[in-house]
Amino acid sequence: MELLKKHAALALLYFMLIALFGLLLRLFQLVDIPVVYKYMVHTHSHIALLGWVYTALTTLLYKLYLDHAGIARKYRKLFWGTQVTIIGMLLSFPFTGYALFSILFSTLFLIASYVFARLFFKYTSIEQKETPSYQCIRMALWYMVLSSLGPWALGAIMNTAGSKSPLYRNAIYFYLHFQYNGWFVMALLGIFLKLIEQRGIAPPKKSFAQFFWLFNGGIVATFGISLLWMEPHMGIYLVSALGALMQCLAFVILIRSIGPFWNKLSGMGPPLVFWSLKISALLFLVKLVLQFFGSLPPIAALVMSNIDFVIGYLHWTFLGVVSIALFGFLRYFRLIGLSKKALLFYLIGFGLTEGLIFYKGIAVWKQLPLLTDYFWYLALASGVLLLAIGIILGLQFSKRVG
């Protein structure tokens, strides 16, 4: 347990670093910073997905499924080998962008993630493999593997069509879609189901089957949303909208299937955990609704031409849905300490940054003047978010918070 707590604290350290990089990216609009903006964006995105989220999720999955499988030594070697690749990216991307060493460490990370998936599939017990939670985690890991086809394709695309081709952009979107909407979301849903299974709660088999197939069908279909920037055939819009509706329906089925146990769920741990998961679920519902409207041609055209709407949506998912759920799960399984004040401070930082990003998107859309000193406000909001994550990280070294 103590070792896994250190792993979770390391994930939080990555989270604080990406918040720092996020603040630096805001300050580019205000002061002269002696680094290449594009390189810092690459660093920010890679450490966000692979440092914070991947490390936190795999730590949780190991604890829930493999902690008693007798592979502690193998896992430790894999964990620290993976961290070498992440730190390698952290030290190479800011100075070189996509170049020899950053590409090397990124490639080694992909291989390490495959090894983790193999360990998970091989050493999970037969009893665990029969549970709904495992079915979700299994799909999550396959989406993680599937998403890696995007980075693998980039080299071939660079050598043939070039970095300016639609194929290059679509390969990146393929990766991001199946990371965010496949690997991250399905893993979080699986961890939630594992949590309630431990308390003797499980959705009815029929309801789970409906949820499972509708939701996964929606994940595949909504990749079409990532292609709408090309203004494709109307069939792509229809498939995307259908996929978004499928996911909305699936989420409703899941919530209704566990509705009879809601009172029992409310007492499943510290109130802070329950509120974290409720907030994450609410943000996820909003994400699903936005996803549907974003598949409609007029709105898709608006969003794809407005970078602030795209950034706001991605941050809504990453900082809101995924990160807040991770806080709740890590706290529930006693891998991190968390306090009400720290979580509230984080929510304030999240709300301020999202509000300002979407405000700028609306201002650009409606051709309205920005607030005076807008970029200072955005940097200040990013500073609040950085401070909140720093406070949460600091709690890991406090004896007062369990």
Side-chain angles (χ1 to χ4, degrees), residues 4 10 142 144 156 332:
L4 294 181
L10 180 58
W142 279 119
M144 179 189 74
Y332 179 83

Side-chain angles (χ1 to χ4, degrees), residues 34-70:
V35 293
V36 179
Y37 181 84
K38 182 172 67 173
Y39 294 173
M40 191 56 64
V41 171
H42 293 329
T43 310
H44 179 68
S45 59
H46 279 76
I47 304 305
L49 304 185
L50 311 181
W52 160 232
V53 180
Y54 179 89
T55 302
L57 280 178
T58 52
T59 298
L60 283 164
L61 295 185
Y62 178 83
K63 175 176 174 54
L64 295 176
Y65 290 90
L66 303 175
D67 201 13
H68 302 291

